[in-house]
Amino acid sequence: MITNSSFPGAVRAATFDRLSTPGYRGPVALAVLLAVVAAAPEGSVHGTVATAVVVAGFFVQVPVVLLATVGTPGVVVLALGLAGLAASPAVRRRVRRLPRPGNSVLLGCALASGAVVLGFSVPGEDYGLLGLGLFALALLPFAWFAWIARQTVRAAAEPAGEAGTVRRRGSWRWVAGPLLVGAAALSISQDVPREARFSVSRPALTSYAEQALAVGATDRAPAWIGGYPVQDTELVDGGVRFAVTGSGVFAHHGYAYFPSGGPTGHPSRYTQVDGRWYSWSGPDHF
């Protein structure tokens, strides 16, 4: 019998046991890695991931640009062929027998989509979070199909009558993952993550900026202001400029506050966000 006092401990133990099963190890590892990257935006893990994203983007972009003219008709023909294949009764029967995505798949999709949204929530983008999220989204379908193949082989090896296939309830599982990815893509296309994060952090940023202007110094700037990790806070052009830690790759990015007028030095690097606030980008260090 579980008493009221031991019930929370039993729930925690059951949750830990569930998350420690093989199917959940991937999402747990992804969550830990995302936490490390988010907590240390200037750390070696963050820098390694950001550099890998830039290099991978270059190698992906070059063949896409070179083969765009020749490859587009081929992609259309391939898409039509796959559509015809998917419409065949044999393929549809096989698809209906596929196990629905489990909780670990949906959890991984949610973590990866959230990382992409957070990566786009800062000026200049956080390529550490963005890269991890995109990599996880790209890898997730292959990991799921590999799990299905493993379960199929294991079921075939079991004696007749003992093999079983996990049939999770709820057809909503087929659409939950695409909906998560679609919602993330839609919010990014409307610049919702960046605007929302700035709106939440604006009071704290404004309070510190006005205090720094009053005392004429920024040497006591905290590591976090509002929802942003900040560095290189400085007085410039009668205002205060913040560099967001971990944003961009080859240049610093951040926000600037000008209580009377706009920036006078390098105005092309600034974009007005709202009222006295501007986003800015520094010179490239590449």
Side-chain angles (χ1 to χ4, degrees):
M1 180 177 180
I2 300 176
T3 62
N4 290 336
S5 60
S6 62
F7 181 73
V11 172
R12 287 194 297 269
T15 303
F16 179 79
D17 289 342
R18 183 70 180 272
L19 293 178
S20 62
T21 57
Y24 284 88
R25 290 174 186 170
V28 170
L30 176 61
V32 171
L33 191 55
L34 289 174
V36 171
V37 171
E42 286 295 303
S44 58
V45 176
H46 186 284
T48 301
V49 174
T51 303
V53 171
V54 174
V55 174
F58 174 78
F59 282 106
V60 170
Q61 185 178 10
V62 170
V64 168
V65 173
L66 293 178
L67 302 177
T69 305
V70 179
T72 301
V75 171
V76 173
V77 172
L78 179 62
L80 291 175
L82 291 176
L85 183 64
S88 66
V91 172
R92 283 186 294 179
R93 284 195 298 269
R94 289 181 178 273
V95 169
R96 280 197 293 267
R97 288 199 297 266
L98 286 176
R100 297 183 179 98
N103 295 337
S104 59
V105 175
L106 300 182
L107 179 58
C109 190
L111 288 171
S113 300
V116 173
V117 169
L118 284 177
F120 275 100
S121 67
V122 297
E125 285 77 54
D126 185 331
Y127 283 89
L129 289 172
L130 182 60
L132 277 179
L134 292 176
F135 177 76
L137 287 176
L139 186 63
L140 194 58
F142 298 98
W144 181 52
F145 281 115
W147 178 83
I148 292 176
R150 181 182 178 185
Q151 294 297 108
T152 302
V153 172
R154 180 180 297 176
E158 293 179 359
E162 295 184 10
T165 303
V166 178
R167 299 294 296 176
R168 297 176 178 86
R169 297 180 178 179
S171 298
W172 61 269
R173 292 179 178 275
W174 287 111
V175 299
L179 281 178
L180 286 171
V181 177
L186 180 61
S187 66
I188 290 169
S189 67
Q190 300 300 316
D191 208 18
V192 173
R194 189 172 301 167
E195 292 179 358
R197 189 169 182 176
F198 177 75
S199 297
V200 172
S201 304
R202 179 175 177 173
L205 289 170
T206 303
S207 177
Y208 174 79
E210 292 178 346
Q211 179 183 358
L213 289 172
V215 300
T218 60
D219 53 349
R220 294 185 179 181
W224 283 77
I225 302 179
Y228 297 103
V230 297
Q231 64 177 4
D232 298 334
T233 306
E234 58 183 340
L235 302 176
V236 59
D237 295 339
V240 181
R241 189 167 65 191
F242 305 89
V244 177
T245 310
S247 62
V249 177
F250 304 118
H252 291 307
H253 295 261
Y255 291 103
Y257 177 76
F258 297 101
S260 56
T264 57
H266 304 288
S268 61
R269 295 177 182 170
Y270 294 84
T271 301
Q272 189 171 20
V273 176
D274 186 19
R276 303 172 181 178
W277 280 100
Y278 294 75
S279 62
W280 71 277
S281 60
D284 289 341
H285 299 296
F286 181 68

